[in-house]
Amino acid sequence: MSSSRKQEQHPWHTLDLGSIYGLLRTTDVGLSKSEASSRLAEYGPNELQAVHRTSPWTILFEQFKNVLIVILLVATALSAFLGHPIEAIAIAVIVLFAVLLGFVQEYRADRAIEALRQMAAPTATALRDGHEVEIAARDLVPGDVILLRAGDKIPADARLSEAVNLQIEEAALTGESVPVEKHAAPLADGGLTVGDRRNMAYAGTAATYGRGRAIVVATGMNTEFGKIAQMLETIDVGKTPLQENLDKVGLMLARVAFVVVAIIVALGLFRGQPLIEMLVFGIALAVAVVPEALPAVVTISLAIGVQRMVKRNALMRRLPAVETLGSTSVICSDKTGTLTKDQMTARKIFAAGQMLEVSGAGYEPHGQFSRDGSTVEPPDFVKLLLQAGTLASDAHIVHNESDGRWHVKGDPTEGALVVAAAKAGLNKADLDAQFPRVSEIPFASETKRMTTLHSGAEAVVAYSKGAPEVILASCTRQLTERGEAALDAKSREAILETARRMASEALRLLAVASKSGATLENAEYEMTFLGLVGMIDPPRPEAKAAIQTCEQAGIRPVMITGDHPLTAQAVARELGLLKTDRIVTGAELEAMSEDKFESDVENIDVYARVSPAHKLRIVTAWQQKGHIVAMTGDGVNDAPALKKADIGIAMGITGTDVTKEAAAMTLTDDNFASIVAAVEEGRVVFGNIKKYLMFLLSSNIGEIGLMAGATLLGLPLPLTAVQILYVNLATDGLPALALAVDPPEADIMRRKPRNPRTGVFTRPVVTLMTVGGLWSTLVNLGLFIWALDSGRSAAEAMTMTFVSLVLIQFFKAYNFRSDRHSVLNQPFANKWLNLAIVWELLLLTLVVHVPLLHEPFGTFSLPPVDWAIVIILAFTVSPVLEIAKWLERRGWFGEMS
């Protein structure tokens, strides 16, 4: 970061302009060029800078700190040294693949700051030496006076000194779903959140209407955007549950491998066997203990999960995050654009004393009108109201052929009127042609209304829309079912009471009026009141079902929004998300102590008017309670919380590049329901990795038990070093990879989230692994002893033991397709496992019966009777494991995994 002086921090929104000019040593005509140059040198350029950037070499080196990778590298070197080049090359390729994949993922993760930079305005219009000049936005300094016009990106944080009908789109920063009307007056409350500071303009937002003038109060990393960038840089991204589990597995296997090699080599030497022979044998067994295919199996499982998720509209940026989804116990969801459509929609219309509801969500011009729950055709007085509102609007709707969606061109509030009219069969283009606009009185923040004049069949008609109290004050008559009537004081108060009731439902209200025979001078006087239209950014229809599914899966949904508490409450209640009436605002959260918040966090369903720092605090509090937290969002304000969360979920359509870079996952359809599908895939992925580890480590227990048992009993070694390596490749290879693509179990989304602290090795999993491994040890050791005692040669006895060991592991592959359900439940559903077993059986037959392979593998052509004995003994592992599962389902081994 460049050396620049810290900028002054003040509650700028509370100060009058005179105080601000004094503090910033500037005037209403801006700075001189020389003073601006001096301040640029003092404060640094107005751009976001990386606080810390990790070099690619450091990221690459970090990949080699993984315990499993280190073990595999040692195994590679030893295999090569001891004359097993194929084994060495295979392990080396797997290591290289895992290292490069990790490097690419982490290198890409540092790009969030670049995305924030791209959102900054490239140029700005400023006053220098009293003259209006266009300069590079990076050259702005505190004290500069800038001019804002509709369409401009705000180049820095600034206090407005003049605002003429100025509206600024702040959704990316605050989550506010509609443009915010701005003014220049000071605000009394020093604790207002960013979204409520109506006299401020913030870098990265955009002016959508009107014009303004502002004094720059913060640039670069001192802006609200800059604070977000600093949070992104300083957030410590923890390891995923899977990474922690695999690290533990790696350490455990390293210790086991060392102990096994030491004991067997020591015993062999004690019994007078050659040092080199025992060393080669010990290393072969140690390599067998280490699952060198584990990184590949994990990667393949995750990659296949990613492919399946793409088909279900979820795009993953970081592979390990797929598994994290399966552990998710809390989803902190942004409201705007995630739970809602981010499309203003007319929901209620009050006209002629009647309240009608309008169905449909978003800009799609399809819906029905209903009264008291019954569908009705829109009455003429409702059509007249919608005609007036549409003619007094500049917005129009268009259908985009490329994405198949409807979009509003213009103000979203006006768009809601146009869409409601279309639902009533009134087309904006047709109305404009039938009643051409001849004049207008544009919207102004002072008047809070817009009026247009149109030539009708007999006279010029004025249509006006705006704030209810303003429109009502200009009306002397009202439209009723029977036609126009006088608007008396009682009727006026009844309308205002209706407006207050609609507003309490978080509806954004517009009143509509008309006047026949109007001129520009008298258009807004003695009008006829036509009615009220209540609008809201509605919940997505599918979000309610998705929330119910999340709850069935034991996942807690929480709404976090920068929007108004009343709006948040209405949306949360409609979604069934609000279990209590408690809604916590950013200001209330600010006042809470850490201890108080930590004790309350699990009882709060909805947060409103929150800042990026608040979102971060909420995510952190849930994590400190031991939860795995997913955070969804689309605005820049969500980025730090997305990065901090265990799984950050960005919106693909409405989301900013910043959130997509900070998030681990992007929803390509912005559909909350896609999260449920992603959680299911996450659970499937972890389940398959668990199946692989159960299968593999149970097989390893069987191998180690056999070798250790033979050594302790003073028997000859029952397997050669090459046989051990072959068994290792046969089980670690295709059957294990096939388990990585096992179909999901039917009840996977009816289980509670997995506790990440328990890891893979829950008591039932360890029990099944141990039972399978010990039974394999007993069967193979007994078979070896019996074969030697029956007069068979050592080569025949070793081959029978070798074949039995391989077959037992093939039977176990089917049993370990589930750690709870019977093998008889769709036993051959995994076609890849079926193919893998058939292929491995073919290879095993060749190794046993092709004379050319007898010497290198130390095998013997078994007669049919030997095959029969081996197959029967190997099959016994299946009923033994089924009995263990039966006991597990009855709770003998603790809570199910």
Side-chain angles (χ1 to χ4, degrees):
M1 191 172 177
S2 64
S3 58
S4 57
R5 194 165 75 83
K6 183 74 175 172
Q7 296 173 14
E8 293 181 30
Q9 301 290 320
H10 296 283
W12 300 108
H13 62 283
T14 66
L15 303 178
D16 59 66
L17 294 177
S19 300
I20 294 170
Y21 287 135
L23 285 168
L24 293 172
R25 306 187 312 280
T26 188
T27 67
D28 61 350
V29 293
L31 301 170
S32 65
K33 288 181 180 178
S34 59
E35 176 63 19
S37 298
S38 171
R39 293 191 186 189
L40 187 61
E42 181 181 1
Y43 294 118
N46 175 35
E47 60 186 9
L48 302 182
Q49 298 164 338
V51 176
H52 170 72
R53 184 167 296 282
T54 309
S55 76
W57 290 111
T58 304
I59 295 173
L60 185 63
F61 178 71
E62 286 291 322
Q63 308 309 309
F64 291 95
K65 291 186 178 179
N66 182 302
V67 175
L68 204 56
I69 296 292
V70 173
I71 295 172
L72 294 177
L73 287 173
V74 171
T76 304
L78 288 172
S79 296
F81 176 73
L82 296 168
H84 300 288
I86 295 174
E87 177 90 359
I89 291 167
I91 301 172
V93 168
I94 290 166
V95 171
L96 184 65
F97 182 61
V99 165
L100 287 177
L101 194 73
F103 169 76
V104 170
Q105 290 163 7
E106 289 192 31
Y107 185 70
R108 288 184 61 200
D110 281 339
R111 291 175 55 198
I113 301 301
E114 291 302 320
L116 270 173
R117 279 203 186 101
Q118 289 168 13
M119 289 191 72
T123 61
T125 304
L127 295 178
R128 293 278 171 89
D129 292 322
H131 300 296
E132 187 178 317
V133 293
E134 188 169 289
I135 62 171
R138 71 185 304 278
D139 294 335
L140 283 176
V141 294
D144 258 325
V145 173
I146 55 174
L147 304 180
L148 305 174
R149 298 183 180 88
D152 287 350
K153 272 192 173 181
I154 311 301
D157 287 4
R159 168 69 157 83
L160 292 165
S161 58
E162 180 184 308
V164 181
N165 304 328
L166 182 64
Q167 295 183 15
I168 295 180
E169 173 65 68
E170 296 183 337
L173 187 64
T174 66
E176 186 77 54
S177 53
V178 293
V180 179
E181 291 180 23
K182 296 291 184 177
H183 61 75
L187 298 165
D189 187 355
L192 289 176
T193 61
V194 169
D196 290 321
R197 296 174 192 171
R198 298 301 176 96
N199 57 8
M200 297 289 294
Y202 291 102
T205 62
T208 60
Y209 194 86
R211 59 185 174 82
R213 179 184 289 216
I215 311 142
V216 174
V217 296
T219 60
M221 298 300 281
N222 293 284
T223 63
E224 293 298 322
F225 253 38
K227 291 171 188 174
I228 291 172
Q230 285 177 316
M231 279 192 273
L232 283 171
E233 285 281 1
T234 54
I235 289 166
D236 180 33
V237 182
K239 287 187 175 182
T240 69
L242 180 64
Q243 289 169 326
E244 290 178 349
N245 286 329
L246 293 185
D247 283 348
K248 289 176 186 174
V249 171
L251 279 170
M252 179 190 74
L253 293 175
R255 290 167 183 155
V256 169
F258 178 78
V259 171
V260 166
V261 171
I263 290 173
I264 290 183
V265 170
L267 285 172
L269 292 174
F270 179 75
R271 289 166 51 193
Q273 291 180 290
L275 173 62
I276 294 298
E277 181 185 326
M278 287 312 301
L279 193 61
V280 170
F281 182 82
I283 288 169
L285 191 56
V287 170
V289 171
V290 177
E292 58 264 30
L294 180 58
V297 167
V298 170
T299 301
I300 289 167
S301 296
L302 295 174
I304 289 168
V306 166
Q307 288 176 348
R308 286 199 298 248
M309 288 169 74
V310 166
K311 294 175 184 174
R312 301 176 81 171
N313 302 308
L315 183 67
M316 301 304 300
R317 284 191 67 249
R318 293 194 284 275
L319 283 183
V322 177
E323 173 271 337
T324 311
L325 275 167
S327 308
T328 299
S329 55
V330 178
I331 298 177
C332 294
S333 175
D334 187 44
K335 176 186 73 69
T336 306
T338 309
L339 291 167
T340 66
K341 299 278 285 185
D342 196 15
Q343 298 175 351
M344 289 300 287
T345 306
R347 295 291 287 269
K348 288 190 174 182
I349 294 176
F350 176 75
Q354 299 181 26
M355 186 71 75
L356 276 77
E357 295 186 348
V358 188
S359 68
Y363 297 145
E364 199 159 319
H366 305 298
Q368 294 180 318
F369 293 78
S370 60
R371 183 170 51 223
D372 300 326
S374 301
T375 302
V376 296
E377 282 296 313
D380 289 341
F381 53 81
V382 169
K383 286 188 174 181
L384 186 58
L385 181 155
L386 292 173
Q387 174 183 307
T390 301
L391 287 169
S393 298
D394 292 324
H396 61 281
I397 56 172
V398 294
H399 186 258
N400 190 322
E401 297 296 336
S402 62
D403 63 8
R405 302 171 190 270
W406 288 87
H407 300 267
V408 160
K409 298 294 185 183
D411 182 77
T413 305
E414 291 188 344
L417 282 173
V418 174
V419 171
K423 290 175 183 177
L426 300 173
N427 182 276
K428 165 76 171 163
D430 293 343
L431 289 174
D432 286 340
Q434 188 178 351
F435 305 101
R437 187 182 298 186
V438 294
S439 191
E440 69 178 87
I441 303 171
F443 174 86
S445 54
E446 291 80 14
T447 61
K448 295 185 178 179
R449 71 189 299 168
M450 176 180 177
T451 304
T452 57
L453 283 74
H454 302 260
S455 59
E458 298 173 359
V460 172
V461 183
Y463 296 117
S464 190
K465 69 178 192 325
E469 64 279 8
V470 172
I471 296 296
L472 203 56
S474 67
C475 293
T476 56
R477 300 181 67 76
Q478 62 177 324
L479 187 65
T480 69
E481 282 187 89
R482 294 178 297 278
E484 287 192 18
L487 181 63
D488 55 24
K490 185 179 178 182
S491 299
R492 195 181 299 273
E493 183 53 39
I495 292 168
L496 286 172
E497 178 56 34
T498 300
R500 282 190 287 269
R501 195 167 62 250
M502 291 173 74
S504 71
E505 297 173 25
L507 294 172
R508 185 185 178 97
L509 293 184
L510 277 182
V512 184
S514 68
K515 177 174 182 172
S516 186
T519 65
L520 203 56
E521 290 72 27
N522 68 12
E524 296 183 337
Y525 300 94
E526 298 182 346
M527 302 190 81
T528 300
F529 181 78
L530 300 180
L532 300 168
V533 181
M535 291 161 279
I536 196 170
D537 176 16
R540 290 176 173 271
E542 63 276 8
K544 187 172 185 177
I547 285 172
Q548 289 173 345
T549 306
C550 284
E551 289 175 343
Q552 288 170 5
I555 299 165
R556 172 78 178 275
V558 177
M559 180 195 288
I560 304 177
T561 178
D563 220 334
H564 194 279
L566 209 57
T567 309
Q569 183 183 42
V571 171
R573 186 167 281 128
E574 189 170 337
L575 286 169
L577 194 148
L578 194 62
K579 300 295 182 290
T580 66
D581 280 332
R582 188 176 181 193
I583 294 175
V584 173
T585 65
E588 291 168 346
L589 187 58
E590 197 78 48
M592 272 192 204
S593 67
E594 286 298 328
D595 290 342
K596 171 67 174 168
F597 181 49
E598 196 169 318
S599 67
D600 285 5
V601 69
E602 292 182 312
N603 302 316
I604 302 169
D605 294 312
V606 178
Y607 298 86
R609 278 287 188 255
V610 294
S611 70
H614 295 147
K615 293 186 178 189
L616 204 54
R617 188 179 172 196
I618 293 163
V619 169
T620 304
W622 276 105
Q623 288 175 327
Q624 287 173 345
K625 284 281 190 178
H627 290 276
I628 297 296
V629 184
M631 167 77 188
T632 73
D634 56 358
V636 174
N637 59 332
D638 298 322
L642 289 187
K643 189 172 180 183
K644 173 63 178 173
D646 299 282
I647 174 79
I649 307 170
M651 300 296 112
I653 298 170
T654 58
T656 58
D657 287 344
V658 184
T659 54
K660 291 173 190 174
E661 290 294 341
M665 182 175 95
T666 299
L667 299 182
T668 57
D669 61 350
D670 286 14
N671 192 336
F672 188 85
S674 297
I675 298 171
V676 181
V679 169
E680 181 181 350
E681 290 299 341
R683 292 185 176 190
V684 170
V685 165
F686 185 84
N688 287 351
I689 292 170
K690 180 176 70 176
K691 292 171 191 178
Y692 162 78
L693 281 172
M694 272 200 304
F695 167 62
L696 177 83
L697 298 182
S698 176
S699 300
N700 286 355
I701 291 169
E703 293 170 37
I704 293 167
L706 171 63
M707 304 310 297
T711 303
L712 290 171
L713 292 173
L715 298 170
L717 292 174
L719 298 173
T720 67
V722 174
Q723 285 174 347
I724 289 174
L725 290 174
Y726 178 84
V727 170
N728 187 42
L729 286 174
T731 57
D732 224 9
L734 294 179
L737 294 176
L739 284 175
V741 293
D742 203 48
E745 295 177 57
D747 63 344
I748 200 159
M749 284 302 284
R750 294 193 295 274
R751 304 175 189 173
K752 289 181 180 179
R754 180 178 54 81
N755 184 346
R757 286 193 295 273
T758 61
V760 178
F761 302 108
T762 57
R763 193 183 300 173
V765 167
V766 171
T767 302
L768 285 176
M769 276 170 32
T770 306
V771 167
L774 289 179
W775 188 257
S776 174
T777 297
L778 291 173
V779 167
N780 289 319
L781 197 56
L783 174 63
F784 183 61
I785 293 170
W786 174 83
L788 289 175
D789 289 349
S790 67
R792 287 172 170 80
S793 67
E796 185 175 354
M798 289 175 73
T799 302
M800 290 180 73
T801 307
F802 166 64
V803 171
S804 171
L805 181 61
V806 173
L807 292 181
I808 282 176
Q809 294 182 3
F810 290 168
F811 283 120
K812 281 197 288 191
Y814 285 98
N815 280 94
F816 285 141
R817 286 192 55 236
S818 175
D819 62 337
R820 61 181 70 198
H821 298 304
S822 169
V823 70
L824 299 176
N825 183 12
Q826 295 184 311
F828 302 112
N830 187 339
K831 65 177 181 180
W832 299 110
L833 180 59
N834 300 335
L835 291 171
I837 296 297
V838 169
W839 171 252
E840 293 291 350
L841 284 172
L842 177 62
L843 291 182
L844 181 64
T845 306
L846 293 175
V847 166
V848 171
H849 289 291
V850 174
L852 190 65
L853 299 176
H854 284 173
E855 186 176 347
F857 282 94
T859 50
F860 176 92
S861 292
L862 297 178
V865 66
D866 285 0
W867 272 103
I869 292 168
V870 167
I871 290 170
I872 290 168
L873 286 174
F875 178 74
T876 59
V877 76
S878 223
V880 167
L881 286 172
E882 285 305 297
I883 292 169
K885 286 188 199 177
W886 183 82
L887 293 173
E888 178 194 323
R889 287 195 293 272
R890 278 146 187 78
W892 281 49
F893 306 138
E895 189 179 345
M896 277 196 172
S897 56

